């Protein structure tokens, strides 16, 4: 058995059951070995798409996922998706063939690339240690919740594996939750006991049913209102005290209630510039606390009065058990009525700017929210449009929105939705894209069709890079470089085997209803011609964060 086969078998046996990638000569034998051992492989049309599919699958499924790429250009093609995963602390194993001969045209400093984008570089160095080093990479990705780039030199892959290498090493142990200290639990319980207007903001580290239940129970006890960062949107879906998303996508009522809190607790949430609107949502006398199982995350973006190192669910349950009298907090009849009536963006009045040949993106999004089934998983690309699907399309739980936006790259949305669709085949996958991102990632329309995914792809098409148009246009700058002639993206989709509809007004959405009620034998693309004169409410905050 060659090293490539031994490593592939060991990774599959250790629990790496889903692999995405583009196969070339350097990762051919490794990938085939994983498939032969029982792992599932999805071939993308571009390594960048494969990386984002793997990232999204890992986020939605909660399972360690692998990306398999060729040496050199295979890895560089995937770098944007790897950077997104690394910045998001996604447990992801990147398996990259490597050429060590300096004169090879494939030779690059692959470790340096990993360092540059925040991934952890590791390497297979010998036939004797190959399986152990591969399993060490798996352990690091899982236990440290990070993206690991495992370099596999071609000359080592081709060596004979030693006799006795375990083909079935067995699954690796799960990550052990971090216990908070008794002193920290007491301090947080004391803080909440004195709070009169508390708000809990849950983030990526709270995305589990157990954490949700624990936070809701503690919030009931101390009278806290509940909100999430956008990556955890849907965590408190259906809770009458949920404010939905905090930050740039927050509704006016949500911003008001968070901004007048006397105590804000971030649970597995970094309280960064997006979630706190550059600090504008924190009142001058507000006490801020943060709970995270990574000590380095405490206070990283925001000064905190109390930082607690601990698992979100464990910490919430320990604080609840610490006792104290139950308190009303902000949970009054007046607040309950306001939340029920005005916390969702679709309930905020607006002037519909739809015209004869263009539809208002708010009108489009509300209509789609009414049409699409409630059990959905949405992948959103980046761009001027992105707030509309992120806030106007509801999601059933914390796995309903896959938001690959830590790197703010355009072009990841379609691949995001593919990865999420494969992780949740029981739900309708919806890809929400701008025209720029749709055309960047168009090659993966083939992957949607080839996999037979009954997906809906919505393109908010304003024929340009709207973020730049609306940011620079008011100052009189020329916009020729960020505007484009009208493109028939529906025709492009039909070429890939999609059903497609062009939407310029509400009446055009009848075709969407027909597709939803039909056999859904082919995926659907909606080329929505949205009005060009709307800059999004979060746009200037995005530019302030550059």
């Amino acid at each position: 058995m060659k090293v490539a086969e031994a490593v592939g078998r060991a990774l599959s046996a250790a629990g790496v059951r889903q692999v995405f990638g583009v196969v070339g000569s350097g990762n051919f034998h490794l990938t085939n070995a994983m498939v032969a051992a029982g792992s599932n492989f999805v071939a993308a049309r571009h390594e960048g798409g494969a990386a984002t599919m793997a990232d999204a699958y890992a986020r939605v499924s909660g399972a360690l996922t692998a990306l398999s790429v060729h040496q050199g250009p295979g890895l560089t093609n995937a770098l944007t998706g790897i950077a997104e995963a690394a910045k998001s602390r996604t447990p992801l194993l990147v398996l990259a063939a490597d050429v060590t001969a300096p004169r090879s045209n494939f030779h690059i400093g692959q470790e340096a690339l990993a360092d540059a984008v925040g991934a952890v570089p590791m390497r297979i160095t010998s036939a004797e240690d190959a399986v152990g080093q591969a399993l060490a990479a798996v352990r690091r990705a899982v236990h440290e919740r990070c993206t690991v780039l495992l370099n596999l030199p071609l000359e080592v892959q081709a060596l004979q594996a030693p006799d006795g290498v375990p083909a079935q090493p067995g699954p690796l142990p799960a990550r052990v939750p971090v216990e908070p200290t008794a002193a920290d639990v007491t301090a947080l319980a004391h803080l909440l006991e004195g709070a009169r207007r508390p708000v809990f903001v849950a983030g990526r580290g709270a995305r589990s049913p157990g954490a949700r239940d624990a936070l809701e129970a503690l919030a009931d006890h101390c009278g806290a209102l509940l909100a999430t960062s956008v990556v955890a949107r849907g965590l408190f879906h259906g809770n009458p005290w949920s404010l939905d998303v905090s930050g740039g996508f927050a509704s006016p009522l949500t911003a008001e209630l968070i901004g007048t809190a006397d105590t804000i607790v971030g649970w597995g949430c970094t309280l960064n510039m997006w979630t706190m609107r550059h600090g504008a949502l924190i009142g001058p006398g507000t006490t801020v606390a943060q709970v995270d199982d990574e000590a380095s995350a405490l206070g990283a973006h925001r000064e905190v009065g109390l930082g607690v190192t601990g698992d979100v669910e464990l910490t919430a349950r320990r604080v609840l058990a610490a006792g104290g009298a139950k308190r009303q907090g902000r949970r009054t009849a007046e607040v309950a009525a306001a939340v029920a009536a005005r916390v969702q963006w679709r309930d905020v009045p607006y002037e519909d700017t739809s015209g004869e040949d263009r539809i208002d993106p708010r009108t489009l999004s509300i209509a789609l929210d009414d049409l699409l089934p409630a059990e959905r998983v949405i992948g959103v690309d980046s761009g001027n449009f992105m707030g509309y699907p992120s806030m106007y399309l509801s999601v059933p739980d914390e796995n309903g929105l896959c938001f690959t936006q830590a790197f703010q790259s355009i072009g990841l949305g379609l691949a995001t939705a593919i990865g999420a669709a494969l992780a949740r085949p029981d739900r309708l996958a919806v890809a929400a894209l701008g025209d720029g991102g749709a055309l960047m990632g168009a090659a993966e329309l083939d992957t949607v069709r080839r996999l037979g995914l009954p997906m809906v792809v919505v393109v908010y098409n304003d024929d340009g890079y709207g973020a730049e148009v609306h940011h620079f246009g008011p100052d009189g700058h020329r916009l020729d470089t960020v505007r484009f002639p009208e493109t028939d993206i529906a025709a492009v989709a039909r070429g890939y085997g999609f059903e497609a509809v062009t939407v310029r007004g509400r009446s055009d959405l009848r075709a969407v209803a027909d597709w939803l009620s039909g056999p859904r034998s082919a995926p659907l693309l909606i080329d929505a011609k949205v009005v060009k004169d709307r800059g999004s409410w979060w746009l200037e905050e995005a530019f302030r964060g550059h």
Side-chain angles (χ1 to χ4, degrees):
M1 184 189 304
K2 301 293 186 182
V3 166
E5 183 180 354
V7 168
R9 289 188 178 189
L11 290 174
S12 183
V16 185
R17 310 300 288 176
Q18 181 65 53
V19 189
F20 295 84
V22 175
V23 171
S25 60
N27 61 329
F28 181 87
H29 297 298
L30 173 70
T31 306
N32 280 353
M34 296 186 73
V35 172
S39 296
N40 181 57
F41 177 72
V42 171
R45 282 303 192 180
H46 190 279
E47 290 91 349
T52 302
M53 291 175 203
D55 181 13
Y57 185 93
R59 297 187 196 205
V60 176
S61 70
L64 178 65
T65 307
L67 167 68
S68 178
V69 295
H70 187 271
Q71 63 271 20
L75 177 59
T76 57
N77 278 348
L79 272 184
T80 298
I82 294 170
E84 169 64 35
K87 286 178 177 290
S88 299
R89 292 175 60 192
T90 301
L92 180 67
L93 183 62
V94 181
L95 304 170
D98 190 20
V99 168
T100 56
R103 293 186 180 277
S104 169
N105 61 306
F106 288 128
H107 176 68
I108 55 174
Q110 296 193 174
E111 285 90 350
L113 290 179
D115 285 331
V117 299
V120 176
M122 298 182 72
R123 173 172 290 276
I124 300 295
T125 60
S126 69
E128 292 73 22
D129 298 324
V131 167
Q133 289 169 333
L135 297 180
V138 171
R139 280 193 296 271
R140 190 157 187 186
V142 171
H143 295 163
E144 298 183 20
R145 281 209 316 263
C146 63
T147 297
V148 173
L149 170 61
L150 181 62
N151 292 297
L152 295 107
L154 296 182
E155 64 272 19
V156 180
Q157 288 193 55
L159 294 174
Q160 192 71 23
D163 293 337
V165 170
Q168 297 291 331
L172 296 174
R175 190 172 192 265
V176 178
V178 178
E179 284 271 3
T181 67
D184 281 345
V185 168
T186 299
L188 183 53
H190 179 73
L191 175 65
L192 292 175
E193 190 172 355
R196 296 295 174 262
R197 299 183 303 280
V199 171
F200 289 177
V201 183
R204 192 187 314 275
R207 289 182 66 252
S208 73
R212 177 195 62 221
D213 294 345
L215 290 176
E216 287 185 330
L218 181 59
D220 286 345
H221 185 78
C222 65
L225 302 180
L226 296 161
T228 70
S229 67
V230 69
V231 296
R233 184 172 183 232
L235 182 67
F236 302 120
H237 179 79
N239 189 298
W241 302 104
S242 171
L243 304 180
D244 206 4
V245 173
S246 173
F249 294 159
S251 69
L253 177 65
T254 294
E256 175 189 339
L257 290 171
I258 295 174
T260 54
D262 65 352
T263 304
I264 295 175
V265 184
W267 297 88
C269 176
T270 61
L271 302 175
N272 62 23
M273 61 184 178
W274 310 114
T275 308
M276 289 289 107
R277 290 191 178 178
H278 297 272
L281 292 185
I282 301 174
T286 302
T287 299
V288 178
Q290 188 182 354
V291 178
D292 201 287
D293 61 5
E294 290 285 345
S296 61
L298 301 176
H301 294 275
R302 193 75 47 210
E303 183 178 349
V304 296
L306 174 63
V308 177
T309 303
D311 175 78
V312 166
E313 179 181 353
L314 283 180
T315 302
R317 295 198 187 282
R318 299 289 187 274
V319 172
L320 180 61
K326 186 172 183 178
R327 299 169 295 283
Q328 183 182 42
R330 294 296 284 279
R331 299 192 171 194
T332 65
E334 180 183 7
V335 170
V339 169
R342 293 190 288 121
V343 82
Q344 300 297 328
W345 269 106
R346 63 175 295 151
D347 298 322
V348 177
Y350 69 95
E351 179 184 354
D352 191 334
T353 62
S354 301
E356 289 185 6
D357 61 351
R358 295 271 171 180
I359 188 170
D360 189 306
R362 296 165 296 185
T363 302
L364 169 71
S365 301
I366 292 170
L368 289 173
D369 191 44
D370 292 336
L371 283 171
L372 297 171
E375 285 297 311
R376 62 185 74 155
V377 57
I378 303 168
V380 181
D381 211 328
S382 191
N384 179 66
F385 79 95
M386 64 187 288
Y388 302 114
S390 299
M391 289 307 304
Y392 285 90
L393 298 183
S394 61
V395 293
D397 56 25
E398 70 277 10
N399 290 316
L401 175 64
C402 194
F403 198 73
T404 46
Q405 298 292 334
F407 200 27
Q408 288 183 260
S409 174
I410 293 174
L412 305 187
L414 179 57
T416 295
I418 294 171
L422 292 168
R424 291 302 304 260
D426 57 320
R427 293 183 173 180
L428 177 67
V430 180
L433 319 175
D435 52 295
L439 292 172
M440 281 187 186
E444 302 307 343
L445 292 171
D446 174 77
T447 303
V448 176
R449 189 262 323 154
R450 178 166 30 89
L451 296 178
L453 299 176
M455 180 186 292
V456 174
V457 178
V458 186
V459 182
Y460 290 72
N461 189 351
D462 63 359
D463 302 315
Y465 294 130
E468 284 67 32
V469 168
H470 295 295
H471 180 71
F472 294 109
D475 293 329
H477 296 286
R478 291 187 61 180
L479 300 173
D480 300 357
T481 56
V482 291
R483 283 179 171 162
F484 303 93
E486 185 169 322
T487 302
D488 189 350
I489 298 178
V492 174
R494 292 188 190 100
Y496 280 101
F498 276 61
E499 293 185 33
V501 57
T502 299
V503 172
R504 297 182 182 275
R506 284 176 179 268
S507 62
D508 296 323
L509 291 168
R510 284 194 293 267
V512 178
D514 292 342
W515 183 88
L516 289 167
S517 62
R520 305 183 193 179
S521 54
L524 174 70
L525 183 136
I526 303 167
D527 185 2
K529 308 297 186 179
V530 297
V531 295
K532 300 182 180 184
D533 58 351
R534 282 203 55 79
S536 57
W537 64 85
W538 59 271
L539 179 64
E540 291 310 313
E541 287 196 13
F543 276 93
R544 285 174 61 200
H546 287 175

